[in-house]
């Protein structure tokens, strides 16, 4: 019996030792498995070292900031050089501006010369008008009076009446125009007589009125006779009322449809007047 119990205890110790060994092996295997298969977690010390800036990195950052400051200073120091280059470019372009200035000066000179010519022309026109006024006023012994009236220079039908405010139809021109004169029909060769005493201001040839005689009769009145021929008068000649001053000519191209006629115009101080108001 004693041997049997002893044998049983031996068997129990064997089993216990075997279980203990198995448990140890299982624990060792588990630890080994975890060490080999489970990824290693970073140590907190290494993580903190990686996150915290090192003294070397601070030095590098300070060095880079110093270098950027130095670069800005270098750029600032180079700015005057750029300005000087721009100034050099401006100086190099100065001759071009000078040439442009010369061109402008030339055009200005041309404009000045043109304006001078225009002013000279205007002054000459003013001088001519002044001379005409002087001619109108120099003959003091002619003093036409409205009560005296004017004699008819030719006897004939009035083809076109005076019309300065309204237009009248011109057959030859086929248009309506103002008529500052009296168009008196007369046969070619009919003698034209002076309507009043006066002095010849001019004898000219015009496109519209042909050979034309202008005469000063005093008191700023001027008579104009057109469509004439055979005129022997000249500027400065004095004419008495009723004297022959010329003959009716072939009508100009402005009056071919109207036929031969006398163009008779009356002006007072350069203002056209209806001749029918003064003709006897």
């Amino acid at each position: 019996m004693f041997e049997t119990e002893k044998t049983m205890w031996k068997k129990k110790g064997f089993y216990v030792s075997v279980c203990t060994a198995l448990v140890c092996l299982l624990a060792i295997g588990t630890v080994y498995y975890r060490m080999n298969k489970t990824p290693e977690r970073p140590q907190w010390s290494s993580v903190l070292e990686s996150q915290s800036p090192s003294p070397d990195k601070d030095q590098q950052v300070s060095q880079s900031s110093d270098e950027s400051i130095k670069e800005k200073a270098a750029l600032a120091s180079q700015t005057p050089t750029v300005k000087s280059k721009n100034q050099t470019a401006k100086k190099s372009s100065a001759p071009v501006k000078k040439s442009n200035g010369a061109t402008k000066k030339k055009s200005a000179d041309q404009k000045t010369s043109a304006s001078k010519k225009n002013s000279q022309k205007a002054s000459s026109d003013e001088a001519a008008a002044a001379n005409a006024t002087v001619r109108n006023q120099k003959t003091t012994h002619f003093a036409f009076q409205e009560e005296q009236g004017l004699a008819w220079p030719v006897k004939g039908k009035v083809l076109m009446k005076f019309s300065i405010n309204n237009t009248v139809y011109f057959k030859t021109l086929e248009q309506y125009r103002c008529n500052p004169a009296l168009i008196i029909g007369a046969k070619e060769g009919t003698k034209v007589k002076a309507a009043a005493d006066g002095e010849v201001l001019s004898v000219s040839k015009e496109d519209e009125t042909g050979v034309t005689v202008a005469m000063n009769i005093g008191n700023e009145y001027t008579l104009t006779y057109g469509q004439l021929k055979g005129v022997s008068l000249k500027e400065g000649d004095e004419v008495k009322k009723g004297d022959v001053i010329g003959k009716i000519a072939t009508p100009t191209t402005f009056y071919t449809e109207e036929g031969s006629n006398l163009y008779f115009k009356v002006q007072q101080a350069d203002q056209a007047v209806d001749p029918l108001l003064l003709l006897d």
Side-chain angles (χ1 to χ4, degrees):
M1 184 72 181
F2 178 77
E3 288 180 357
T4 302
E5 290 179 359
K6 187 177 181 180
T7 302
M8 290 176 65
W9 277 108
K10 285 181 180 181
K11 288 181 179 181
K12 288 181 180 180
F14 173 78
Y15 288 127
V16 169
S17 62
V18 170
C19 290
T20 303
L22 290 173
V23 170
C24 290
L25 288 173
L26 181 62
I28 292 170
T30 303
V31 171
Y32 178 79
Y33 176 79
R34 288 182 178 181
M35 290 179 65
N36 291 331
K37 298 298 180 178
T38 304
E40 295 181 357
R41 294 182 180 180
Q43 297 180 359
W44 286 107
S45 61
S46 61
V47 172
L48 292 174
E49 288 178 358
S50 62
Q51 291 180 354
S52 61
S54 63
D56 295 335
K57 289 183 179 180
D58 293 337
Q59 290 178 359
Q60 291 178 358
V61 171
S62 62
Q63 288 178 0
S64 62
S65 62
D66 293 338
E67 288 177 358
S68 63
I69 293 170
K70 288 180 180 180
E71 288 177 356
K72 290 181 179 179
L75 292 173
S77 63
Q78 290 178 0
T79 303
T81 306
V82 175
K83 288 184 178 179
S84 63
K85 288 182 179 179
N86 293 332
Q87 291 176 357
T88 306
K90 289 181 180 179
K91 289 182 180 179
S92 63
S93 63
V96 177
K97 290 184 179 180
K98 187 175 181 182
S99 62
N100 292 335
T103 305
K104 289 181 180 179
K105 184 177 180 182
K106 186 176 180 181
S107 61
D109 293 339
Q110 291 177 352
K111 289 181 180 179
T112 304
S113 60
S115 62
K116 284 182 179 179
K117 289 181 180 179
N118 292 333
S119 62
Q120 289 176 357
K121 184 178 180 181
S123 61
S124 63
D125 293 340
E126 290 177 358
N131 292 333
T133 304
V134 170
R135 287 197 302 268
N136 290 339
Q137 294 177 354
K138 73 176 183 178
T139 310
T140 56
H141 60 279
F142 293 113
F144 173 74
Q145 300 298 327
E146 290 82 354
E147 305 85 47
Q148 299 174 359
L150 297 173
W152 284 80
V154 291
K155 291 182 180 181
K157 180 181 178 181
V158 176
L159 301 178
M160 297 178 66
K161 292 183 178 181
F162 172 89
S163 180
I164 197 65
N165 295 322
N166 299 315
T167 58
V168 293
Y169 186 70
F170 284 68
K171 291 182 180 179
T172 303
L173 301 178
E174 295 183 350
Q175 60 181 244
Y176 285 89
R177 297 174 57 186
C178 292
N179 183 28
L182 195 66
I183 309 302
I184 306 172
K187 292 183 179 180
E188 185 178 347
T190 302
K191 294 180 179 180
V192 179
K193 299 179 181 180
D197 297 343
E199 179 184 2
V200 177
L201 294 175
S202 64
V203 179
S204 61
K205 188 173 183 179
E206 308 295 335
D207 293 336
E208 181 177 355
T209 58
V211 177
T212 305
V213 176
M215 188 177 301
N216 174 28
I217 60 175
N219 285 340
E220 298 183 339
Y221 275 93
T222 303
L223 303 181
T224 302
Y225 307 83
Q227 306 278 5
L228 300 177
K229 67 177 181 179
V231 177
S232 58
L233 299 173
K234 61 183 183 299
E235 181 181 349
D237 288 348
E238 293 185 3
V239 178
K240 296 292 184 180
K241 185 176 182 178
D243 289 347
V244 176
I245 59 177
K247 297 179 180 179
I248 299 295
T250 303
T252 63
T253 55
F254 285 75
Y255 295 96
T256 53
E257 291 296 326
E258 287 78 5
S260 57
N261 65 84
L262 173 68
Y263 178 93
F264 185 59
K265 182 179 179 181
V266 179
Q267 287 179 287
Q268 184 183 22
D270 297 330
Q271 184 68 35
V273 178
D274 187 356
L276 289 177
L277 298 177
L278 299 172
L279 287 170
D280 293 336

